């Protein structure tokens, strides 16, 4: 944890992660083995971050790849290889509402200079737009079909672009041999507990929602 941060920020992000877990439950109806795997993964990431493992930023490849690559590859496996049937488009789209509290936490972290301001909605991060518009897509695109499926598909592509934008910004501003941005205020918060769950769980969950929604919408 970062000592200079007020405890309420870590508490708020922990609540955000629990909200993401609840959204995961609604969308996927996980069985017992899936729950065990999820909580084991969260516990491993928390332990590594709390121990300071990820704060060694001089290695190649960066140690933080252990928090990013496994869930990213697992998402690709679930979407394009496993093919475990369709998921509720409405529940998939509710997942994007987690982006609202995430952006609030990022803004708070930036105010304490533990991430660069460019990672917030005051900089180049417009991800919060997807969070606020997701309920509108659910209501008018999935329930009432006032918005046609092609526009819902377009919304998902835009949301995927917004997600990629902040992920790339976060990677390039993190202290590592690959850092290209924000040298004065590097992205150090995500290397610590509990904020490591952002890249190791919440971002992959949002990514899965977009990719699976796009896949199902394109079938239509």
């Amino acid at each position: 944890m970062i000592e200079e941060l007020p405890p309420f920020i870590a508490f708020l992000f922990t609540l955000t992660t629990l909200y993401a877990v609840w959204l995961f439950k609604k969308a996927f109806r996980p069985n017992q083995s899936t729950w065990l795997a999820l909580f084991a993964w969260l516990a491993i990431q928390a332990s590594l971050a709390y121990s300071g493992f990820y704060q060694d930023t001089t290695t190649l490849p960066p140690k933080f790849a252990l928090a990013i690559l496994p869930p990213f590859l697992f998402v690709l496996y679930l979407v394009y290889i496993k093919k475990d049937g369709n998921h509720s488009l409405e529940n998939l789209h509710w997942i994007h509402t987690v982006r609202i509290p995430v952006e609030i936490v990022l803004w708070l972290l930036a105010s304490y200079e533990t991430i660069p301001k460019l990672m917030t909605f005051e900089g180049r991060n417009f991800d919060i737009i997807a969070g606020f518009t997701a309920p509108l897509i659910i209501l008018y695109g999935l329930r009432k079909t006032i918005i046609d499926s092609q526009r819902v598909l377009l919304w998902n592509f835009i949301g995927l672009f917004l997600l990629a934008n902040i992920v790339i910004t976060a990677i390039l501003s993190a202290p590592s041999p690959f850092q290209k941005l924000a040298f004065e205020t590097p992205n150090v918060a995500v290397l610590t507990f509990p904020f490591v769950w952002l890249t190791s769980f919440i971002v992959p969950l949002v990514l899965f929602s977009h990719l699976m929604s796009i896949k199902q919408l394109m079938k239509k």
Side-chain angles (χ1 to χ4, degrees):
M1 298 182 67
I2 304 173
E3 293 182 359
E4 60 268 23
L5 279 181
F8 84 90
I9 300 179
F11 179 71
L12 177 59
F13 185 73
T14 301
L15 291 180
T16 300
T17 304
L18 292 176
Y19 177 56
V21 170
W22 181 74
L23 293 170
F24 170 83
K25 176 180 180 293
K26 284 180 61 69
F28 304 104
R29 303 181 185 275
N31 55 32
Q32 186 176 7
S33 60
T34 302
W35 277 125
L36 289 173
L38 173 62
F39 285 118
W41 174 251
L42 293 177
I44 290 170
Q45 291 302 316
S47 177
L48 290 173
Y50 191 79
S51 70
F53 175 79
Y54 289 131
Q55 295 180 52
D56 177 6
T57 59
T58 60
T59 61
L60 279 175
K63 291 182 177 180
F64 199 60
L66 291 174
I68 299 174
L69 287 180
F72 175 76
L73 295 175
F74 187 61
V75 164
L76 295 182
Y77 164 75
L78 289 177
V79 175
Y80 299 111
I81 299 177
K82 190 171 186 292
K83 299 179 181 179
D84 58 346
N86 291 338
H87 298 273
S88 164
L89 279 172
E90 182 171 324
N91 287 337
L92 286 173
H93 283 75
W94 275 119
I95 288 173
H96 300 292
T97 58
V98 78
R99 295 158 96 153
I100 300 172
V102 163
E103 295 307 314
I104 294 172
V105 170
L106 290 179
W107 179 78
L108 290 169
L109 290 173
S111 69
Y112 285 89
E113 298 184 346
T114 56
I115 67 169
K117 185 175 288 188
L118 59 84
M119 283 182 58
T120 73
F121 46 74
E122 290 186 338
R124 61 174 67 176
N125 180 5
F126 306 104
D127 204 52
I128 198 169
I129 296 173
F132 279 123
T133 56
L136 300 177
I137 292 297
I138 293 167
L139 179 61
Y140 296 109
L142 302 178
R143 292 184 182 178
K144 296 184 178 180
T145 63
I146 295 174
I147 302 173
D148 62 46
S149 60
Q150 289 185 340
R151 287 180 172 82
V152 176
L153 181 63
L154 176 62
W155 180 90
N156 274 277
F157 276 114
I158 294 172
L160 191 60
F161 171 79
L162 294 176
L163 181 66
N165 172 62
I166 182 55
V167 169
I168 292 171
T169 301
I171 292 173
L172 294 180
S173 60
S176 75
F178 303 111
Q179 185 177 3
K180 301 296 182 183
L181 302 170
F183 290 98
E184 293 183 359
T185 310
N187 174 21
V188 297
V190 295
L191 307 177
T192 65
F193 172 81
F195 309 106
V196 68
W197 287 331
L198 176 60
T199 49
S200 62
F201 173 58
I202 295 178
V203 167
L205 180 63
V206 172
L207 174 64
F208 178 88
S209 175
H210 274 312
L211 293 180
M212 183 57 74
S213 296
I214 289 170
K215 181 180 177 180
Q216 293 182 192
L217 288 166
M218 290 185 72
K219 285 183 179 180
K220 294 184 178 182

